[in-house]
Amino acid sequence: MPIAPGFDPRWTDIPDYILGITRAIWEDRGIDTLTRYYAEDLVVRSPASVLVGNGGIIAATQATLAEFPDRELPGEDVIWCWADGDRTAFLSSHRLICQATHTGPGAYGAPTGRRLTYRILADCYCAADQVRDEWLVRDQAAIVRQMGGDIVDWTRNLIAREGGPEACVRPFTPETDVPGPYAGRGDDNPWGMRLEDILTALFNAAFSIIPASYDPAAELNYPGHQLGHGHFEADRFWMGLRAAFPSARAEVHHRIGREDEGMPPRAAVRWSLTGRHDGWGRFGAPTGALVHVMGITQAEFGPRGLRREWTLIDETAIWKQILLHTGAV
């Protein structure tokens, strides 16, 4: 019996589908399967851009594998919910740990021979055996730093490589968004609501939520492939981010909570900050740049609160918006 109407019955469950099509595309080199598993009018939003259609995805996949031929994307978790009442479609939040060696020329410049490890978080709406809508955050800061680069300099060079301030690819913002087929906001599972409450408190400067809701030994995974533990490291990341955009509007776009056998309670929340870079914090001196921050957070919970957190934003996309505003290109 298929996992949902229209899906190939070979998939045993929804995580098997998400992990399976990812493996088929990347490790098994079935790039041609993108025409089967990705809808022709698919919309993919990342902090760096908005792509429409699977043709661009196929080209980008080939370019990535030419630059990182041994790239692997083993999945760490798939947190999902049904997208409708009749269970014909679903939304998955997929966490991947990417490992690759930079041995080919490409978007990241001449080969460095560096071995990279970084994460990707991807929310996918799937129906009729295809991905039809996607929101993806790649840890670009980790890639740049592990290749020995400076994030601001790399972003400045990226703008130049794309043709300069007038011609370069614009980062994703609400104004550049393209409506897709999925407009749901997730489920009402209590673990998803709990993570949303924590993030909402942080966005509202109620940083006391960290000692109140985080395990004292919580494992924390932040942009730049940075690993930390405990209340101080959580406070440092979230304070630094919010302090950079103190007047920005925070919005939660999607939430999922799950309890599965053999797993701790988990949650996934997609969120954004939209507003001026009007404060000191993670992005240096205030510039007044209008910035959109696209973020995804996943978490696991234990008896003493939030015990593991994975939050990703693309710092290069944020710096791109700041550099284009200031003209420091």
Side-chain angles (χ1 to χ4, degrees):
M1 184 175 179
I3 56 176
F7 284 82
D8 190 317
R10 74 189 180 99
W11 307 115
T12 59
D13 55 28
I14 286 169
D16 183 49
Y17 172 78
I18 294 296
L19 298 172
I21 66 172
T22 303
R23 183 173 57 252
I25 294 164
W26 293 98
E27 281 86 353
D28 295 345
R29 296 302 190 263
I31 300 173
D32 60 314
T33 63
L34 283 163
T35 59
R36 173 184 176 186
Y37 294 128
Y38 277 53
E40 188 174 352
D41 57 352
L42 166 77
V43 182
V44 179
R45 306 158 194 83
S46 73
S49 65
V50 180
L51 293 177
V52 179
N54 59 18
I57 303 300
I58 293 170
T61 302
Q62 292 179 108
T64 298
L65 285 173
E67 193 167 7
F68 303 96
D70 62 348
R71 190 175 195 246
E72 296 178 313
L73 292 101
E76 293 184 308
D77 199 4
V78 178
I79 302 172
W80 65 274
C81 67
W82 293 111
D84 46 44
D86 57 4
R87 299 192 172 193
T88 61
F90 58 88
L91 191 290
S92 66
S93 188
H94 182 194
R95 189 175 74 251
L96 310 95
I97 184 80
C98 181
Q99 301 172 95
T101 310
H102 187 218
T103 56
Y108 293 95
T112 62
R114 297 289 185 95
R115 182 68 175 168
L116 311 178
T117 302
Y118 59 93
R119 282 189 172 84
I120 300 170
L121 290 170
D123 285 9
C124 293
Y125 166 71
C126 304
D129 216 14
Q130 288 188 316
V131 179
R132 296 175 175 267
D133 226 350
E134 185 169 4
W135 295 259
L136 179 148
V137 183
R138 182 184 297 107
D139 192 356
Q140 290 280 83
I143 299 173
V144 173
R145 286 176 178 152
Q146 289 176 41
M147 290 197 296
D150 174 82
I151 293 176
V152 179
D153 289 342
W154 183 88
T155 306
R156 186 179 289 114
N157 291 335
L158 175 66
I159 294 170
R161 293 198 306 272
E162 291 176 343
E166 300 303 321
C168 69
V169 178
R170 259 38 193 185
F172 170 69
T173 67
E175 291 72 32
T176 62
D177 193 10
V178 176
Y182 182 67
R185 297 184 63 85
D187 62 24
D188 291 328
N189 180 283
W191 296 105
M193 296 173 70
R194 184 169 177 180
L195 181 57
E196 179 180 3
D197 287 345
I198 290 171
L199 294 172
T200 299
L202 293 169
F203 295 145
N204 289 329
F207 295 100
S208 57
I209 195 70
I210 293 174
S213 298
Y214 280 63
D215 188 306
E219 178 187 303
L220 311 165
N221 299 270
Y222 290 138
H225 203 60
Q226 294 180 343
L227 174 66
H229 293 85
H231 296 167
F232 173 76
E233 293 296 337
D235 184 89
R236 181 164 68 170
F237 170 76
W238 287 107
M239 185 75 75
L241 177 62
R242 196 56 170 130
F245 311 104
S247 65
R249 183 184 76 257
E251 185 175 357
V252 168
H253 301 278
H254 199 273
R255 72 172 180 229
I256 308 172
R258 286 202 65 81
E259 295 179 72
D260 292 303
E261 185 177 357
M263 299 286 288
R266 295 115 68 220
V269 172
R270 188 172 71 251
W271 51 270
S272 67
L273 292 172
T274 307
R276 298 287 175 184
H277 177 218
D278 51 2
W280 285 88
R282 193 172 180 93
F283 296 92
T287 61
L290 184 60
V291 169
H292 182 72
V293 180
M294 174 183 173
I296 300 178
T297 296
Q298 291 189 358
E300 293 179 356
F301 294 90
R304 297 192 296 172
L306 189 157
R307 63 188 297 272
R308 298 181 79 188
E309 178 193 343
W310 299 265
T311 291
L312 282 188
I313 58 175
D314 181 349
E315 294 181 291
T316 66
I318 296 169
W319 277 112
K320 193 175 194 181
Q321 293 170 82
I322 292 172
L323 292 172
L324 289 172
H325 171 84
T326 61
V329 295

